[in-house]
Amino acid sequence: MATLADTTIRPIERDRLFFFVMSLAIAAVVVGGFSLQLVEGRSTFASPWWVHVHGVTFMGWLGIYLTQNWLVWRNDTLAHRKLGRIAAFYVGWMVLIGIGANTMAAVHHRIPPFFEPNTFLVMDWLTVLVFAGLTWAGVRFRERTDWHRRLMLCGAIQVMTPGVGRLLPLPLLTQTQQLWTIWACLVPFMAAAAIYDWRTRGHVHVAYAWGFGAITLAVAVMRPLAFTPPMLALTHYLTA
């Protein structure tokens, strides 16, 4: 962090480096989580086709996000904007695949046994919807760079959730503890972003309040929503 705040680096270059480093850290956590599952035999390449489509789709986004931050770091803004147009539509595909794959997991009884099916479905659906909302908001504010890069970062932090969960001993926790422990693992990334802003701007950008506020609110309502009569009825229908 001290290096990033070095006054010998121009502010614009310092910001670009910071967001690129954050994208690398996010990618490392996600890849680490899924790699651990593969190494320990809890994930296999013998999974149904829709599981692979889901995995390739979301890893594809990770590649896009890394590439976008790398392009900005390299000052290739033209390529960044061109890829951004594709990325905006790609997020819509992610929503369809994310909701569809998790619904299929319920139908085919592939939800991990340490999750309540209704909580699992609400958790995954809200995760992908909040990610999409933050990311599309970032696209909407693409002409306001300060808002754009911070909302995009919040979206990327949110979509870390599946990777983070695979690094944790979730079977040892209660359902409520599972949700909030995953959330707690996202806090250091938001804290790093806030601290960076405080040190370089003198205050924390309000975009982070909206972004992390949305992430936190989603976690807070997951279990209440999961136990509403409509959600219980839908879960029963899907898992019957």
Side-chain angles (χ1 to χ4, degrees):
M1 192 67 72
T3 301
L4 296 182
D6 192 337
T7 56
T8 62
I9 303 176
R10 290 193 305 159
I12 190 170
E13 295 172 346
R14 180 185 60 208
D15 284 356
R16 288 171 175 175
L17 178 58
F18 173 77
F19 286 97
F20 180 46
V21 169
M22 288 293 286
S23 71
L24 289 171
I26 290 169
V29 170
V30 174
V31 172
F34 281 91
S35 297
L36 178 64
Q37 294 292 301
L38 188 62
V39 169
E40 295 189 347
R42 292 194 289 267
S43 295
T44 71
F45 291 107
S47 299
W49 64 269
W50 44 270
V51 174
H52 295 298
V53 172
H54 179 272
V56 170
T57 296
F58 279 75
M59 283 297 182
W61 171 257
L62 193 61
I64 290 173
Y65 184 67
L66 266 173
T67 301
Q68 285 291 73
N69 279 279
W70 176 75
L71 288 171
V72 172
W73 179 54
R74 293 286 304 272
N75 198 30
D76 192 348
T77 54
L78 180 60
H80 174 82
R81 289 171 181 165
K82 288 180 178 179
L83 181 56
R85 297 188 188 100
I86 298 172
F89 287 100
Y90 191 90
V91 172
W93 170 249
M94 291 174 70
V95 171
L96 292 175
I97 292 300
I99 293 176
N102 291 310
T103 303
M104 292 287 282
V107 171
H108 292 278
H109 303 284
R110 292 183 60 87
I111 293 176
F114 49 85
F115 272 117
E116 298 160 338
N118 53 321
T119 302
F120 177 85
L121 289 171
V122 170
M123 176 185 69
D124 278 13
W125 292 345
L126 280 182
T127 294
V128 74
L129 289 174
V130 171
F131 154 73
L134 290 171
T135 302
W136 277 327
V139 173
R140 172 66 179 81
F141 283 95
R142 60 189 177 275
E143 300 301 329
R144 297 178 61 179
T145 304
D146 57 331
W147 278 85
H148 171 69
R149 58 181 35 151
R150 287 169 176 81
L151 289 171
M152 297 298 290
L153 175 59
C154 289
I157 290 172
Q158 170 71 334
V159 87
M160 287 173 59
T161 298
V164 169
R166 284 164 171 78
L167 291 170
L168 298 172
L170 295 183
L172 304 179
L173 306 175
T174 67
Q175 296 286 288
T176 299
Q177 289 171 342
Q178 289 170 357
L179 299 178
W180 286 107
T181 299
I182 293 172
W183 172 88
C185 291
L186 306 183
V187 171
F189 289 83
M190 291 304 305
I195 291 169
Y196 175 79
D197 265 13
W198 187 266
R199 293 190 61 181
T200 58
R201 298 166 60 91
H203 66 277
V204 179
H205 198 288
V206 69
Y208 289 136
W210 285 99
F212 204 52
I215 293 170
T216 304
L217 178 62
V219 176
V221 303
M222 281 175 184
R223 281 184 62 76
L225 284 178
F227 287 92
T228 58
M231 191 61 216
L232 289 171
L234 177 59
T235 302
H236 178 74
Y237 172 77
L238 292 174
T239 58

